Amino acid sequence: MEQNKISRKKFLGMSAAATGAALFSGIGSSAMTNDVLPEDKKTADLKEYILTNVRLEESFEYNEKNEVVATKTDLYNLHIADGKIKKIAKGKLDLKLKTIDAKGFLMLPGLRDMHIHIDKTYYAGKWNAAPRKGYTVKDMIVLEEKIIPQLLTDSQHKAEEAIKLMQSQGTYFARCQTNIDPVSGLKSLEHLLAALEKNKDSFAWEIVAFPQHGILYSKSEPLLREAAKMGVDFIGGLDPTSVDGNLEKSLDSMFQIAIDNNKGIDIHLHEGLPTGKAAIEYIIKKTEENKQLQGKSYISHGFALARMEPKDLEKIAEQMGALGIGVVSTIPIGRTIMPIPTLKKYGVKLMTGTDSIVDHWQPFGNCDMLEKAKLCAQLYGWTDEFSLSRALHIATTNEILPLNDAGIRTWPLVDNEANFILVKASCSAEAVARLPKREGVFYKGKLIAGEMKA
């Protein structure tokens, strides 16, 4: 998907509808690692410069058993221009440009939050952790029908604050889920688009039109078709059996809207066995039949994968990998441990995201994708240098890592977009294990968070 490819004709003036609550107390200030820079800072305005004293990974160091015991790094100078990395050199670059001293901080790829709901959050408003009377998805739908009108009054403002939080944590890109339902109509999408539009020079995104109240259950297909014309990138779905009550009809509706509008799909699938497995098998079938959706189909959550017998999981993972069907997981803890290693084994595209930030579903979520990588390492026992360095893949664009498995540097390279973070760490393994502060966050060469002086 092209970043920021949205229809802007009718949304440039939308902010007025959702800015009535511009002065809210910041409930999330303690979660933010550093402040987002104002646009008038000199460093943020530089379009071409030399980034000096940047620490880059070069190779692995091995012991006598050929085990990775350390990561070799060195300091480099980078020429940044037109949003890209133009030169990478150990020696001085003979260019008369302003410089930014990276102070020996380690450069890592910029982070992506690939599943987040910023259209309906309490973040940047009053703290709310009220007890929930119901715990099923249908119970939450009933609750949403009551509270959505309240949430819409300042949803644009809160989305803008959530974007700042993501930036401060090193995230320059998000796949935003937005409610498409009979209560909010298209207003959640309109407010989200307005918030994103205000940040178009410092943030990139994709949008999923998500039928939170069910496509069939809430008769939302006409609304989804309208949303498909309004700049979204994916058509979503929700538990086709437990919510919509008809697996094939629900999934067929989702697929058809996506096909008719040349969109991808990204379905929330919370169902366990056997219905969750049946839904995944049907998604595989439909994706195989429609080549335009191969590489553009995603299953968010996919808890059934965690409950399958190993033989079934291996077969399904192999099919998903071959068809380019990805999994977007929040890396749940507790009884549901997602089979990330098996999915990775078969080349299934893996991504992670915050999901909810302080909302009516749960009060957690700090938008730290590096923390998600650490959680992976803890859950799957990745405690050595090599495994810790590999854990970073779930949080980066196309799972890119500074070094490949053979210890050859694959990032950064000349002509890469200058989307990166700077952290006080000796290597990516240490960054994953210790979650250092994001000293500088760059999007297309522009400093969008942190404090780096020219």
Side-chain angles (χ1 to χ4, degrees):
M1 294 290 169
E2 292 182 15
Q3 295 175 357
N4 299 359
K5 186 178 179 182
I6 69 170
S7 173
R8 298 189 172 107
K9 293 181 181 178
K10 63 183 287 189
F11 300 112
L12 290 172
M14 281 179 180
S15 58
T19 54
L23 298 176
F24 275 76
S25 60
I27 65 165
S29 59
S30 63
M32 295 179 69
T33 55
N34 41 358
D35 294 330
V36 176
L37 286 174
E39 285 297 316
D40 60 354
K41 290 282 186 179
K42 288 184 179 180
T43 309
D45 290 337
L46 287 178
K47 295 181 179 179
E48 185 173 11
Y49 56 91
I50 304 296
L51 189 63
T52 63
N53 298 316
V54 186
R55 186 166 304 281
L56 299 182
E57 296 186 354
E58 292 189 321
S59 62
F60 290 131
E61 295 181 16
Y62 301 85
N63 63 14
E64 63 280 359
K65 297 180 181 179
N66 204 34
E67 298 168 325
V68 175
V69 294
T71 303
K72 182 180 178 182
T73 66
D74 208 341
L75 296 180
Y76 287 77
N77 298 316
L78 276 65
H79 174 204
I80 310 290
D82 302 322
K84 293 189 175 183
I85 298 170
K86 297 296 185 179
K87 292 182 180 179
I88 303 172
K90 280 189 177 181
K92 183 178 179 181
L93 289 170
D94 190 20
L95 296 166
K96 293 181 179 180
L97 295 169
K98 285 194 176 262
T99 62
I100 298 175
D101 187 357
K103 303 176 184 178
F105 294 144
L106 177 71
M107 176 187 281
L108 294 176
L111 308 178
R112 300 194 305 171
D113 193 319
M114 297 304 287
H115 187 108
I116 189 167
H117 298 260
I118 63 173
D119 65 314
K120 51 177 186 182
T121 177
Y122 297 140
Y123 181 76
K126 185 179 179 182
W127 167 256
N128 188 326
R132 318 296 181 227
K133 291 184 179 179
Y135 293 96
T136 69
V137 174
K138 283 189 175 180
D139 290 331
M140 296 302 286
I141 290 172
V142 172
L143 175 61
E144 278 206 0
E145 288 172 343
K146 295 177 181 178
I147 67 174
I148 278 176
Q150 304 165 37
L151 294 174
L152 282 172
T153 60
D154 62 344
S155 64
Q156 181 187 330
H157 165 72
K158 288 176 178 175
E160 291 170 10
E161 292 301 304
I163 290 169
K164 291 179 183 177
L165 175 59
M166 285 189 277
Q167 290 172 320
S168 76
Q169 299 284 38
T171 291
Y172 73 94
F173 185 101
R175 181 179 292 177
C176 302
Q177 306 281 334
T178 187
N179 262 45
I180 304 296
D181 62 78
V183 179
S184 61
L186 300 172
K187 290 190 181 298
S188 287
L189 174 57
E190 291 168 356
H191 295 181
L192 174 64
L193 283 165
L196 291 168
E197 185 71 21
K198 286 185 69 173
N199 289 276
K200 64 183 180 181
D201 294 329
S202 61
F203 199 69
W205 64 84
E206 295 168 338
I207 298 176
V208 181
F210 171 45
Q212 173 70 81
H213 300 174
I215 299 177
L216 307 181
Y217 189 61
S218 63
K219 300 180 175 62
S220 292
E221 182 172 346
L223 280 171
L224 282 174
R225 288 192 172 277
E226 285 189 66
K229 308 295 184 183
M230 293 172 62
V232 305
D233 303 279
F234 296 87
I235 302 301
L238 176 69
D239 299 335
T241 301
S242 62
V243 173
D244 272 348
N246 189 318
L247 185 150
E248 292 193 8
K249 188 175 180 181
S250 177
L251 293 179
D252 283 346
S253 178
M254 176 187 68
F255 272 96
Q256 197 59 54
I257 298 169
I259 291 167
D260 290 347
N261 293 278
N262 194 27
K263 308 295 181 184
I265 66 161
D266 187 337
I267 180 173
H268 285 59
L269 188 60
H270 310 97
E271 296 178 24
L273 301 178
T275 59
K277 178 174 180 286
I280 293 170
E281 290 173 334
Y282 196 76
I283 289 167
I284 289 171
K285 174 178 177 291
K286 296 292 289 187
T287 304
E288 189 171 25
E289 291 172 355
N290 297 279
K291 289 187 177 180
Q292 72 186 78
L293 289 171
Q294 294 175 16
K296 295 170 60 178
S297 296
Y298 296 85
I299 298 170
S300 285
H301 308 307
F303 296 145
L305 292 165
R307 298 181 173 93
M308 290 182 192
E309 292 295 327
K311 183 178 179 181
D312 292 337
L313 174 62
E314 298 255 349
K315 178 182 177 182
I316 282 177
E318 185 175 16
Q319 292 173 320
M320 290 174 66
L323 293 170
I325 300 173
V327 170
V328 190
S329 175
T330 59
I331 321 297
I333 56 177
R335 290 177 296 175
T336 301
I337 305 296
M338 291 297 291
I340 299 297
T342 301
L343 297 173
K344 179 71 175 172
K345 172 184 172 182
Y346 287 100
V348 176
K349 291 186 292 183
L350 295 169
M351 303 174 180
T352 190
T354 296
D355 200 1
S356 304
I357 329 171
V358 196
D359 65 7
H360 51 287
W361 289 82
Q362 50 97 353
F364 308 110
N366 63 2
C367 297
D368 189 347
M369 296 302 99
L370 198 56
E371 185 177 70
K372 293 291 185 179
K374 178 180 179 177
L375 183 55
C376 266
Q378 291 174 310
L379 284 173
Y380 307 116
W382 301 341
T383 57
D384 60 277
E385 180 85 2
F386 180 78
S387 298
L388 281 167
S389 73
R390 305 300 88 184
L392 182 64
H393 77 87
I394 200 160
T396 64
T397 301
N398 297 325
E399 303 181 71
I400 189 67
L401 295 170
L403 301 178
N404 66 15
D405 288 356
I408 298 170
R409 189 168 76 210
T410 54
W411 183 94
L413 300 174
V414 172
D415 285 333
N416 283 166
E417 272 201 352
N419 305 321
F420 58 88
I421 61 175
L422 297 175
V423 296
K424 190 176 182 179
S426 64
C427 60
S428 56
E430 182 182 3
V432 168
R434 305 193 68 177
L435 305 183
K437 175 183 177 182
R438 312 310 114 91
E439 304 287 348
V441 181
F442 292 76
Y443 169 61
K444 293 186 177 180
K446 180 180 180 180
L447 183 67
I448 61 173
E451 297 180 2
M452 308 296 299
K453 295 181 181 179

